[in-house]
Amino acid sequence: MNLDTVREQFEQRAFDYDGLIPRLIPRYREQHDLILQLIPFQTNANIKVLDLGAGTGILSARILSAFPQANVLAFDMAENMLKICQTNLSAFRETADLAARKFCRR
C-alpha cells in the first residue's frame, strides 16, 4: 500500500474517526493514559511536543490539558484530520499549531 492510498483512507475516515478508532484499537484510551504517564516532566513544565500522525487531535488535547504550559505541533498527512484537529484544539489556540504534509517537502 502506498502513502497516497493510506492518506486517502484517512481523508475518508476523518469524520467518523473519533468514534471508530476506540473500537478498532484495543485499549486505545489506556494507551493515551500511558503516554501521559511516560512524559518525564512535571505538569507545569514548559515543554514542546510534536504529535506525529495527530489525527483529530485527541492525544494533543490530552497533553495540553495535562501540561498547561506545553506547546504542541500537531502534524498529519490528511487535511480532513487536521480540520477536525483544529476544531478539537480550539480551546488551546495559543499553545497548539497544526502542520500538514504539504508543508513538509521531501
Side-chain angles (χ1 to χ4, degrees), residues 61-104:
R62 298 249 349 244
I63 291 169
L64 289 165
S65 293
F67 295 85
Q69 302 300 315
N71 288 287
V72 171
L73 175 60
F75 174 86
D76 204 276
M77 66 179 172
E79 293 288 333
N80 286 338
M81 287 289 193
L82 285 175
K83 287 177 188 174
I84 297 166
C85 184
Q86 184 172 24
T87 299
N88 288 343
L89 298 180
S90 63
F92 305 102
R93 273 185 272 246
E94 299 298 317
T95 56
D97 291 308
L98 307 176
R101 177 178 164 216
K102 68 182 179 182
F103 298 118
C104 299

Side-chain angles (χ1 to χ4, degrees), residues 12-54:
Q12 292 174 12
R13 293 287 184 205
F15 300 102
D16 61 355
Y17 183 84
D18 288 347
L20 182 63
I21 197 66
R23 296 187 322 230
L24 295 176
I25 305 293
R27 302 188 183 278
Y28 178 74
R29 289 184 177 90
E30 290 91 340
Q31 290 177 28
H32 287 175
D33 293 340
L34 181 58
I35 290 168
L36 289 173
Q37 291 172 20
L38 292 172
I39 296 174
F41 298 100
Q42 298 294 321
T43 57
N44 63 349
N46 183 358
I47 61 174
K48 296 188 184 312
V49 177
L50 173 60
D51 187 356
L52 291 174

